[in-house]
Amino acid sequence: MGEIKTDKPSITLIEFDAGGITETHFDSLEASRQHQPVREKLWLNVHGLHDPAVMAEIGRRFKLHPLVQEDILNTQQRPKSDEFADYLYIVVRCFDFDPERHCLNSDQVSIVLGRNFVLTFQERPTGAFEAIRERLRAENGAMRNHGADYLAYALLDTLVDRYFVMLDHLTDEAEELEEQALNHPNPALLVDINRVKHEALTLRRAIWPLREVLNNMSRADNGFFSPDTRLYLRDIYDHTVHVLESLESVRDLLADLLDIYLSSVSNRLNSEVRILTVLTTLFMPATLIAGIFGMNFRSMPLLEEADGFRLAMTLMAGAAGLMAAVFWRRNWLKTK
C-alpha cells in the first residue's frame, strides 16, 4: 500500500466519441456498479490508492490481473510497461514543485490502456490532466475523434512536459546556489547543494527507465497503439532524451558547486590565516625586546636610564611600523 495522500478515493468517468462527451462522478462503489456505458470510448480516473475495495471493483469490471492491481496500489514502482492480452499497463512518475518547501513532490501514475478504454490511477489530485479534460470538452476538439491510444499518448505527453518545468526549477535553484557559493559561502549552502543534487537524481531515476519504455512502445506492433500514434510516441521519446541531457548539465553544475564551495572556504581560511600570521609577525619584535629587558641581569643597558622605558616602547612601535609598511608594499595585508 502506498502513502495515504487523500481523505477519500475519488472516481471520475469520462465517456466520449465523435458525437459528444459524458462525465460522471461516483461517490460510492454501488453507484459505479449500476452504471452502464453510453459512449464508445471511456476514461476512468481514480484519485487515492489506499482503498483495496475500489481497486478490486475496478479490477473485476476491466478484468485486471491481480499483479497489476498490486502494482497500482504499491506506489513505489519504477517506470515500466507490461503487456497483457487485452490491455497495456504503464507506470509513470508525476512531479510537481512545492514552493513553500522548495522541493519536488513525486507521485506514481498508473495507466491502463485497453482497446477502447483508458484507466488512470493517481495518488492525489494534482491538476496534471486538467488540460486534457478541457480538450475533450471542447466543442470542436479533435481529440474525441481519436482512439483510446491517442488519449494515452496525450497523458504521457503531459507528464513528460511537466519534467521540463521541474528541470527549470532545478536549473534556477542551481544558478542561485552558484551565486551564493561565489559571493557568500556558508555551511548551510552545502545542505542546499546536496538537497538539489538529490532532487536531480530522483528526477533522473524517473526519466531514465521511461525513455526505454517509450522507445519500446513506439516500436512494438502489438495493436494497442496505431501507427500514427506511435509517431507521437517517438516525439515523447525525443523529449525524454532532451530532459536527460539537460539534467546531466544541471548535475555537472551541482558537482562543480561543491568544488567552488570548498575552494571559497579554503581561500577564506587562507586569508584569515595570513592576517593572523601577519599580526603575529608584527608583535614578534615587541616580544623579543620585552623578553630581553625581562632577563634577570644585575647590569643591563637602559635599565638605569630615565627614558629607558620610552626608548624600548619606541623601538617596539618602530619595528612593528617598519614591518607593516613592508608587508603593505608587498600586498601581504590585502585579503583579495
Side-chain angles (χ1 to χ4, degrees), residues 48-317:
L49 305 179
H50 55 274
D51 191 345
V54 173
M55 189 68 253
E57 177 63 22
I58 296 175
R60 183 187 64 82
R61 290 289 296 269
F62 293 92
K63 300 179 181 179
L64 301 182
H65 195 278
L67 291 178
V68 173
Q69 301 180 43
E70 179 182 346
D71 287 346
I72 293 174
L73 293 178
N74 182 11
T75 57
Q76 301 301 321
Q77 303 292 321
R78 67 191 300 271
K80 65 175 183 178
S81 64
D82 293 331
E83 182 179 338
F84 294 84
D86 298 326
Y87 57 87
L88 183 67
Y89 174 57
I90 308 170
V91 178
V92 192
R93 304 300 302 185
C94 177
F95 289 89
D96 62 350
F97 183 76
D98 189 344
E100 296 182 357
R101 298 189 301 166
H102 294 280
C103 65
L104 300 184
N105 294 324
S106 175
D107 297 317
Q108 175 175 302
V109 177
S110 297
I111 302 175
V112 178
L113 170 62
R115 304 300 177 183
N116 60 347
F117 67 87
V118 174
L119 312 178
T120 54
F121 302 88
Q122 304 179 66
E123 296 185 65
R124 60 188 176 90
T126 60
F129 298 148
E130 188 60 33
I132 298 178
R133 295 186 181 93
E134 293 299 328
R135 292 171 60 184
L136 289 172
R137 294 167 184 153
E139 190 69 25
N140 298 322
M143 180 173 288
R144 292 188 305 209
N145 298 324
H146 294 282
D149 60 333
Y150 187 85
L151 174 59
Y153 147 74
L155 297 172
L156 292 172
D157 185 55
T158 299
L159 294 175
V160 172
D161 286 344
R162 290 174 72 89
Y163 293 160
F164 284 99
V165 179
M166 302 304 107
L167 181 62
D168 290 340
H169 284 297
L170 293 179
T171 303
D172 293 341
E173 286 196 274
E175 292 176 352
E176 293 178 1
L177 293 176
E178 182 182 24
E179 183 178 355
Q180 295 180 24
L182 292 173
N183 299 324
H184 306 288
N186 55 76
L189 179 64
L190 191 61
V191 177
D192 292 334
I193 293 176
N194 289 327
R195 174 182 57 80
V196 179
K197 283 187 64 177
H198 176 72
E199 293 176 351
L201 180 61
T202 302
L203 187 60
R204 184 178 184 274
R205 287 175 176 172
I207 300 175
W208 186 267
L210 179 60
R211 184 188 64 169
E212 298 302 322
V213 170
L214 292 171
N215 186 36
N216 293 334
M217 289 193 303
S218 65
R219 298 177 182 274
D221 188 10
N222 49 22
F224 292 108
F225 289 100
S226 65
D228 292 337
T229 306
R230 290 205 300 269
L231 293 177
Y232 291 106
L233 291 178
R234 294 176 189 174
D235 181 65
I236 305 180
Y237 172 80
D238 293 338
H239 290 173
T240 58
V241 174
H242 184 192
V243 173
L244 281 174
E245 292 176 350
S246 301
L247 192 58
E248 290 300 323
S249 300
V250 174
R251 294 182 66 196
D252 291 340
L253 175 59
L254 294 172
D256 293 339
L257 282 180
L258 290 177
D259 296 335
I260 294 174
Y261 170 78
L262 295 176
S263 298
S264 300
V265 172
S266 178
N267 290 336
R268 186 174 62 179
L269 179 61
N270 290 338
S271 299
E272 294 173 353
V273 170
R274 184 174 60 183
I275 293 298
L276 293 176
T277 302
V278 169
L279 293 176
T280 303
T281 305
L282 290 177
F283 284 99
M284 286 180 63
T287 304
L288 176 62
I289 296 174
I292 292 174
F293 279 92
M295 292 187 295
N296 295 322
F297 288 102
R298 188 176 297 277
S299 177
M300 286 184 62
L302 302 179
L303 287 179
E304 303 296 334
E305 298 292 334
D307 294 329
F309 174 76
R310 295 185 181 87
L311 181 58
M313 297 299 296
T314 302
L315 288 174
M316 295 180 185

